[in-house]
């Protein structure tokens, strides 16, 4: 590492700060959070040592620490840090406006760039936490600032397009999601070229959206090509490509290849993040699904429980991903215990239906009445009613699920 001396020129110190911040981001993406945090702390200390106390520098440091917490899966801490950074930035901008202070063009652009970054990551966090209204608001503001500051073909604009695409996937707005990720791809090809990791990794997002829209033409081939060209085996984007490949194989009915791809991706993610991260739960969830579709309910239950454990530790009980994990556990339980459920004297049955109702209520509160996760939970609840010979209640659940399904383009 390069250290700045007390008599170093200001522009040299600024370069060193940027080096520390960029290195910290790279290390964190590799899962080396301790070393990444060290770099961010060094950058923060240099700002304090060589420059007068600046509100935007303080907020920038909070953003860096929030980024570490985000990648580690500590979302409440990340949200707190980013919200504090945003408050500091907005107060500083108001102070400058009220005092009619003149900033040089470079300083003004730097402030706006940091502000857009904060809005962007707050949008991503709110999206992850299931607060889609706040996610839309913050991502729209990030987009407005970035287009004003740069141009519509800037790589930071592509990042926000990709984030908006992911938000639309979570809300089951798949055509809109595809539109935004294709915009991101066009920018990345223009800025980075066809073989850059950012460009190649975008195909994983397109592949996942294509799965949701039942459009598989050429997707598997593009993902295979991207995996051949990706620059590093142990990298988050490589794991994401394997995840997308696993999804394609699953919908094509090749469960063995699907599991192989998901297990490869899971192995990479474990090396990077350890056991406690959202994407680890994501891999567990899809591996469980491949077992469920094959009727291997015992194996499915094992991975469902792993997914549930990760979701509970990260998000707590009241969260849509935890609810999804819970309903998967219930699905495996229903299929494994059909004979017990058929026994009218089984004391576990009333508790099962109570828990399924709680799951559906949580999903509705976070995602709305017509979300596809609600549809899935209704189908599983209908199955449970069918096995307990409560056919009228089962038909009602299936009918409500069918009503949701008819309104979704991926059915």
């Amino acid at each position: 590492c390069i250290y700045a001396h007390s008599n170093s020129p200001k522009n040299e110190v600024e370069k060193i700060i940027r080096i520390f911040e960029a290195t910290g981001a790279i290390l964190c993406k590799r899962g080396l959070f301790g070393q990444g945090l060290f770099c961010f702390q060094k950058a923060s200390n240099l700002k304090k040592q060589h420059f007068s106390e600046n509100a935007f520098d303080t907020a920038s440091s909070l953003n860096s620490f929030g980024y570490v917490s985000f990648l580690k899966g500590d979302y409440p801490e990340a949200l707190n840090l980013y919200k504090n950074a945003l408050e500091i930035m907005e107060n500083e901008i108001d102070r400058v406006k009220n005092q009619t202070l003149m900033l040089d063009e470079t300083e003004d652009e730097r402030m706006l760039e940091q502000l857009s970054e904060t809005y962007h990551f707050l949008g991503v966090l709110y999206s992850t936490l299931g607060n889609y209204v706040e996610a839309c608001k913050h991502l729209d503001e990030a987009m407005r600032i970035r287009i004003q500051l740069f141009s519509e073909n800037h790589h930071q604009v592509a990042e926000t397009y990709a984030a908006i695409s992911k938000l639309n996937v979570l809300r089951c707005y798949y055509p809109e999601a595809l539109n935004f990720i294709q915009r991101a791809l066009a920018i990345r090809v223009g800025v980075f070229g066809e073989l850059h990791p950012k460009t190649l990794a975008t195909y994983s997002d397109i592949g996942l959206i294509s799965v949701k829209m039942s459009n598989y033409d050429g997707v598997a081939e593009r993902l295979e090509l991207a995996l051949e060209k990706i620059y590093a085996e142990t990298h988050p984007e490589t794991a994401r490509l394997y995840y997308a490949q696993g999804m394609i194989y699953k919908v094509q009915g090749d469960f063995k290849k699907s599991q192989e791809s998901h297990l490869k991706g899971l192995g990479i993610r474990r090396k990077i993040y350890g056991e406690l991260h959202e994407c680890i739960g994501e891999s567990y969830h899809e591996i469980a699904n491949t077992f469920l579709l094959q009727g291997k309910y015992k194996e499915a239950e094992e991975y469902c429980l792993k997914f549930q454990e990760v979701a509970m530790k990260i998000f707590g009980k009241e969260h849509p991903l935890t609810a999804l994990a819970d309903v998967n556990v219930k699905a495996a339980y229903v299929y494994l215990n059909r004979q017990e459920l058929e026994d009218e004297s089984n004391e576990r049955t009333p508790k099962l239906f109570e828990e399924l109702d709680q799951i559906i209520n949580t999903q509705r509160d976070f995602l709305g009445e017509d979300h596809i996760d609600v549809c899935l939970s209704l189908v599983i609840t209908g199955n449970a009613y069918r096995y307990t010979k409560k056919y009228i209640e089962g038909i009602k659940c299936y009918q409500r699920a069918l009503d949701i399904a008819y309104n979704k383009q991926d059915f």
Side-chain angles (χ1 to χ4, degrees), residues 91-103:
N91 288 340
E92 179 65 7
I93 289 173
D94 287 342
R95 186 185 72 83
V96 170
K97 286 180 179 178
N98 291 336
Q99 297 182 15
T100 62
L101 299 176
M102 296 296 293
L103 299 175

Side-chain angles (χ1 to χ4, degrees), residues 365-385:
D365 288 343
F366 275 92
L367 307 172
E369 290 278 345
D370 296 328
H371 196 275
I372 211 66
D373 286 1
V374 177
C375 177
L376 171 66
S377 297
L378 287 167
V379 170
I380 291 166
T381 305
N383 289 343
Y385 277 125

Side-chain angles (χ1 to χ4, degrees), residues 16 42 94 154 230:
I16 294 166
K42 274 291 178 186
D94 287 342
H154 194 273
I230 199 77

Side-chain angles (χ1 to χ4, degrees), residues 227-247:
L227 279 166
E228 289 174 4
K229 295 178 178 179
I230 199 77
Y231 66 102
E233 178 62 27
T234 306
H235 190 277
E237 301 296 0
T238 310
R240 186 73 173 163
L241 284 165
Y242 277 121
Y243 175 85
Q245 187 183 57
M247 294 287 284

Side-chain angles (χ1 to χ4, degrees), residues 66-75 78 82 121 124-125 128 277:
Y67 182 70
V68 177
S69 297
F70 172 72
L71 290 179
K72 288 171 69 177
D74 188 352
Y75 301 121
Y82 276 117
F121 275 104
V124 170
L125 269 168
T128 302
H277 193 275

